[in-house]
Amino acid sequence: MRTPGFWYGPPGLAAALLAPLGALYGAAGRRRMAGTVPHRAAAPVICIGNLVAGGAGKTPVGLAVAAALARRGVAAHALTRGHGGREPGPLRVDPARHGAADVGDEALLLAAAGPCWVARDRAAGADAAVAAGARAIVMDDGFQNPGLAKDLSLLVADGAVGFGNGRLIPAGPLRERVADGLRRADALVVLGEDRAGVAAQVAARTPGLPVLHARLEPAAADAADLRGRRLLAFAGIGRPEKFFATLEALGAELVQRVPFADHHPFRPAEIAALIDRAATLGALPVTTAKDAVRLPPGLRARLRVLPVAVAWDDPGALDALLDRLPLTPRPNGGPHGEAA
């Protein structure tokens, strides 16, 4: 689904007309929360969630949290629903055997860095990870899923757009009311410049809730290589404009921007046409790491992929949050659990 433009503007006629449906959506979510007894896993669960539909940067933050746990010698496994994939799980992701159509694109990104499980039943997925040696679970999304108890919940917000027009789906991007979500969170991560005033909104609604600031950055070598280059950029993420802005900030010249819907399943003919169009324009075709795992394998080598990673303004703030958890390092200090 392509994100409706009115979600991130001042509330207008479309938002007003859809507000009753948004109220029903919110009420259904609150009933689900109230009527579910969460399962407690045998290892701490760290949830990386958000309050809006679409990409806010959860997966890069989850990777950064898993890396921080690995530095402590804690065997952390990732857990995700596998949005866009056909496998219900619990299934340990093997990038050599599984594709995006099997497990979704986020799962493949997470599995490239460490053990990752796909499970529509998050509780069953957490138990499978623990049985395979996980001493911490980093759950990508699932903040609004009450089936699995969370020991630490980090909400991620895109500093450029924040919580959008403040309305619930479908009148706006919110999965639940901002105040409700902030009350259940342990901290909020603002990615990028806080142009939407997210930190001020959090201070007004939930004084004392820690706010961490970070940004998504490409590796220095990638940034230097793309500076001054003519690019045809395409992306099928929650907000493709964020990727385009990243490229422009590097000093690249974007001769064409091609947005797709989030999780778009790329067809070979589509990608071949983009590559041909880039050649006609004298440009280099470039996309995101999340999109790259959905590309036809035979065409990936013909374009450029720009991976990004989280850079924290204050890395110690994340460490302080992790210090709250009963984390047990592996006896040999290794970062990963045993194979299932």
Side-chain angles (χ1 to χ4, degrees), residues 143-155:
F143 182 71
Q144 286 79 23
N145 185 317
L148 181 62
K150 291 90 172 170
D151 297 277
L152 181 69
S153 290
L154 307 182
L155 287 178

Side-chain angles (χ1 to χ4, degrees), residues 11-253:
L13 179 61
L17 291 174
L18 293 170
L21 292 177
L24 292 174
Y25 180 92
R30 291 191 294 275
R31 282 197 301 271
R32 185 185 180 205
M33 289 276 187
T36 302
V37 177
H39 171 72
R40 174 67 62 181
V45 173
I46 304 161
C47 175
I48 315 297
N50 67 3
L51 298 182
V52 302
K58 298 183 304 297
T59 301
V61 171
L63 288 167
V65 170
L69 292 168
R71 289 193 293 271
R72 294 170 177 239
V74 175
H77 287 207
L79 172 63
T80 181
R81 184 185 184 279
H83 184 81
R86 65 173 70 93
E87 293 287 352
L91 172 71
R92 185 163 178 170
V93 179
D94 180 355
R97 293 194 302 115
H98 301 132
D102 301 312
V103 297
D105 45 23
E106 289 105 339
L108 291 174
L109 290 178
L110 294 163
C116 175
W117 296 79
V118 159
R120 293 177 189 170
D121 182 335
R122 308 296 176 87
D127 287 347
V130 170
R135 302 206 174 188
I137 308 294
V138 180
M139 183 164 65
D140 185 325
D141 212 353
F143 182 71
Q144 286 79 23
N145 185 317
L148 181 62
K150 291 90 172 170
D151 297 277
L152 181 69
S153 290
L154 307 182
L155 287 178
V156 182
D158 183 340
V161 295
F163 306 125
N165 65 8
R167 304 295 178 89
L168 292 165
I169 296 170
L174 290 177
R175 298 175 172 188
E176 62 177 309
R177 295 179 300 196
V178 173
D180 292 346
L182 293 179
R183 276 196 295 268
R184 300 198 319 280
D186 296 291
L188 184 130
V189 178
V190 179
L191 279 182
E193 182 184 353
D194 189 6
R195 298 199 299 270
V198 176
Q201 295 178 58
V202 171
R205 286 176 160 129
T206 51
L209 183 71
V211 177
L212 285 63
H213 292 270
R215 59 203 175 278
L216 296 178
E217 290 187 346
D222 290 319
D225 185 55
L226 293 178
R227 189 172 298 118
R229 299 282 293 271
R230 289 170 57 84
L231 303 178
L232 181 152
F234 68 96
I237 57 177
R239 278 208 324 116
E241 298 82 5
K242 183 162 56 174
F243 175 58
F244 304 151
T246 296
L247 293 170
E248 289 184 316
L250 298 180
E253 178 189 356

